[in-house]
Structures are given as C-alpha cells and as structure tokens.
Amino acid sequence: MNNPVNATHHSAPLAVWLAEGQSSQRDMLASLQALKTKTSAPLHIIASHRHDRPEIFALADTVYREPLASASDDPKQIPPFDVPR
C-alpha cells in the first residue's frame, strides 16, 4: 500500500519546532544546527519562547514569540514573594 505520509522522499524540507518548556531548549537547538552541517537533507529549525531569549532565537531559522498567559508570566509583573510569619 502506498502511503505518502511514510514516503522516504520529501518535496519540502523537514521542520523541527522546539517550543519553550524544555530545560535544554538551547542545547537541543545547537545540536540540530550541528546536524544540519552534517547532512544534505534540508532541515528547518523553529524555536518559540514567551520571553526575549536572544541566545535561543539565534539558533533558529524561524522564531515565534509565544503569548503571555497572564500578567504573572511577565517577570516584571511578579510581586515580591512574602514569607508568612
């Protein structure tokens, strides 16, 4: 049975998207960039994050900013932590 999803040849480049959430997002992006230099297969690397992270965005071919879920996601908006006494 011919299944185009499992075809071994692709007309479009393979894309990998690493979203915020992995603690090693930067390391994984760097590894994917290194892989691109060792293969002739086209690979497009996408990264996204809620905050301005130039060290992450510099390693991607395409960057998306994830939306802030609430004001508490913005570090400048987080109130100081009060320890109950």
Side-chain angles (χ1 to χ4, degrees), residues 30-80:
S31 293
L32 287 168
Q33 285 294 348
L35 177 65
K36 281 176 64 171
T37 66
K38 294 178 175 33
T39 180
S40 62
L43 176 61
H44 188 79
I45 301 170
I46 305 165
S48 61
H49 205 284
R50 300 179 272 183
H51 304 291
D52 185 25
R53 297 290 303 271
E55 76 280 9
I56 289 173
F57 295 158
L59 294 169
D61 300 321
T62 301
V63 172
Y64 294 105
R65 287 292 297 266
E66 296 179 18
L68 294 174
S70 67
S72 66
D73 284 339
D74 185 350
K76 293 176 273 188
Q77 300 293 327
I78 298 174

